[in-house]
Each structure stands twice: as C-alpha cells, then as structure tokens.
C-alpha cells in the first residue's frame, strides 16, 4: 500500500505506562520518540486525558487524533494520524462489546480505506481478556464493508502461546467463538 509517496504506511504503538512516578520526564521522552519514529499513525495505551489534551493532541505532525477514556479510570486509548479520520468507535462504551478496551478509527490513505483498532487488554484476568478479544474480533468482522484493510494493534498483555494470540491467528476457539482470520500477523518494528 502506498501513502504520502512512500511504499509503506508506517504504524507504531506504545503503552506509555500511566504512572505518575517519573511521568514528567517520560512525557517529554514519549513525545520525542513519537516525533523520531515519524509513523503515519500511532496507537497509544494508558493515556490520561491531561496528557492527551495538553501534549499529544497538539503535535502538528499529527493533525488528526481521537481519544477514549475508560469509565471509572484515569486513562484511555488514543490514535494519532497524519490522515483524516473518517469514523470513530470506542468499544468500551458501545453496547454489545462487553466494555472492551478498544478504540477503532477509520482512515482513508490514498483511496484505500483502513480500519485501525487500538486495544489494551487487561493484564489481570485471562477470562476478561478472552471476552474482550472475542468482542473486538466480532466488531472487526462487522466492519467488512467499511474498510479494505484491518489493523488490530496495541497491548494485548499476552504472549504468542496465549489463548488470545492463538484465537486471533485461527488456531483456537474461545467460548465456542472462532476468529476466522482474514489478516496476516505482521511485526517489523523495534522493541
């Protein structure tokens, strides 16, 4: 896929670790990293409303952004984009998705429609993690007519042998649900 005269669209995702200890220095380092990577769009997890409003939403390199704050928490998800965002769904507050920690945006890149879902699955419950990934996958399938390509990224809080990873790659069912993947797992970034 081509975008901005490039052969590839650059994507990045970061969990910024919402912890006040050391946050002052970390905010500046996060912004410097975002600018250094210069991705076409970036998914962020554990973003406080203040960090989003005072810092991230003002990055001129990313004129388009969306944010969703979790109910009863001081953080949420954000997506920064160089491309216009044509649609937004915060699954956490949408009926039928079980409070899933997912923020979906629709983008158009050189005529190609993209669906990007930023996720942050819980670290402390395998059952809730499984419920949320099933709901997020269901949401993606319901969007088939709205996008040409689908990107699901973020902090899954699991490894490659987990039920979540195996479900997303079509190797396992969860609660009788099957992912029926129509995507490829891609990882070409830095860790």
């Amino acid at each position: 896929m081509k975008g901005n005269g490039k052969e590839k669209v650059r994507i990045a995702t970061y969990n910024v670790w919402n912890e006040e200890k050391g946050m002052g220095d970390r905010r500046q380092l996060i912004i410097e990293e975002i600018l250094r990577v210069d991705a076409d769009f970036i998914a962020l997890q554990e973003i406080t409303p203040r960090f989003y409003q005072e810092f991230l939403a003002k990055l001129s390199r990313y004129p388009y952004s969306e944010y969703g704050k979790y109910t009863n928490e001081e953080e949420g998800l954000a997506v920064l984009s160089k491309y216009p965002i044509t649609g937004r769904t915060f699954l956490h507050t949408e009926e039928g998705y079980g409070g899933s920690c997912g923020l979906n945006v629709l983008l158009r890149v050189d005529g190609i429609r993209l669906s990007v879902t930023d996720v942050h699955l819980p670290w402390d419950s395998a059952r809730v993690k499984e419920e949320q990934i099933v709901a997020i996958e269901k949401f993606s399938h319901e969007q088939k007519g709205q996008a040409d390509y689908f990107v699901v990224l973020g902090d899954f809080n699991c490894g490659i042998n987990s039920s979540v990873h195996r479900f997303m790659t079509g190797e396992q069912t969860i609660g009788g649900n099957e992912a029926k993947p129509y995507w490829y797992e891609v990882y070409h970034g830095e860790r």
Side-chain angles (χ1 to χ4, degrees), residues 40-42 61-65 79-85 107:
D40 294 302
F41 56 89
I42 298 178
R61 207 176 283 179
Y62 296 94
Y64 309 99
S65 64
V79 174
L80 308 177
S81 176
K82 292 180 178 180
Y83 298 97
I85 295 173
L107 309 165

Side-chain angles (χ1 to χ4, degrees), residues 98-101 121-136 164:
S100 296
C101 297
L121 300 180
W123 62 271
D124 58 349
S125 173
R127 179 186 54 79
V128 174
K129 194 180 315 189
E130 288 178 346
E131 290 170 355
Q132 288 192 14
I133 199 63
V134 167
I136 291 165
V164 168

Side-chain angles (χ1 to χ4, degrees), residues 2-190:
K2 293 188 177 187
N4 281 349
K6 302 176 187 177
E7 291 189 23
K8 297 179 183 178
V9 173
R10 291 177 46 94
I11 304 167
T13 182
Y14 298 98
N15 181 326
V16 302
W17 186 47
N18 177 25
E19 171 63 44
E20 281 304 312
K21 182 179 176 183
M23 183 49 100
D25 295 337
R26 226 173 36 248
R27 282 187 186 109
Q28 185 58 40
L29 292 171
I30 291 164
I31 290 168
E32 288 172 12
E33 176 67 6
I34 287 170
L35 296 174
R36 182 191 72 76
V37 168
D38 195 30
D40 294 302
F41 56 89
I42 298 178
L44 300 159
Q45 304 85 45
E46 295 193 34
I47 300 295
T48 63
R50 180 174 172 244
F51 187 33
Y52 174 73
Q53 293 165 354
E54 292 182 15
F55 301 99
L56 298 175
K58 294 179 181 177
L59 292 176
S60 61
R61 207 176 283 179
Y62 296 94
Y64 309 99
S65 64
E66 288 292 339
Y67 177 76
K69 181 184 170 294
Y70 300 134
T71 308
N72 301 322
E73 290 190 40
E74 287 305 313
E75 64 183 47
L77 299 168
V79 174
L80 308 177
S81 176
K82 292 180 178 180
Y83 298 97
I85 295 173
T86 60
R88 171 202 193 270
T89 305
F90 188 43
L91 278 69
H92 186 69
T93 57
E94 290 290 315
E95 190 74 31
Y97 299 107
S100 296
C101 297
L103 172 63
N104 174 269
V105 295
L106 298 174
L107 309 165
R108 189 173 291 270
V109 179
D110 294 339
I112 296 173
R113 302 171 306 161
L114 293 175
S115 168
V116 178
T117 304
D118 179 13
V119 304
H120 187 209
L121 300 180
W123 62 271
D124 58 349
S125 173
R127 179 186 54 79
V128 174
K129 194 180 315 189
E130 288 178 346
E131 290 170 355
Q132 288 192 14
I133 199 63
V134 167
I136 291 165
E137 193 276 336
K138 173 187 166 202
F139 174 81
S140 293
H141 275 284
E142 291 171 353
Q143 283 194 309
K144 276 191 179 177
Q146 297 182 42
D148 302 311
Y149 295 94
F150 298 84
V151 178
V152 180
L153 71 166
D155 186 351
F156 291 79
N157 274 312
C158 63
I160 62 171
N161 293 318
S162 70
S163 58
V164 168
H165 185 266
R166 293 176 54 77
F167 173 75
M168 291 297 283
T169 57
E171 298 173 18
Q172 174 179 334
T173 61
I174 294 179
N177 296 290
E178 188 171 19
K180 301 178 191 135
Y182 50 90
W183 58 82
Y184 299 97
E185 180 179 5
V186 179
Y187 173 76
H188 294 288
E190 302 169 4

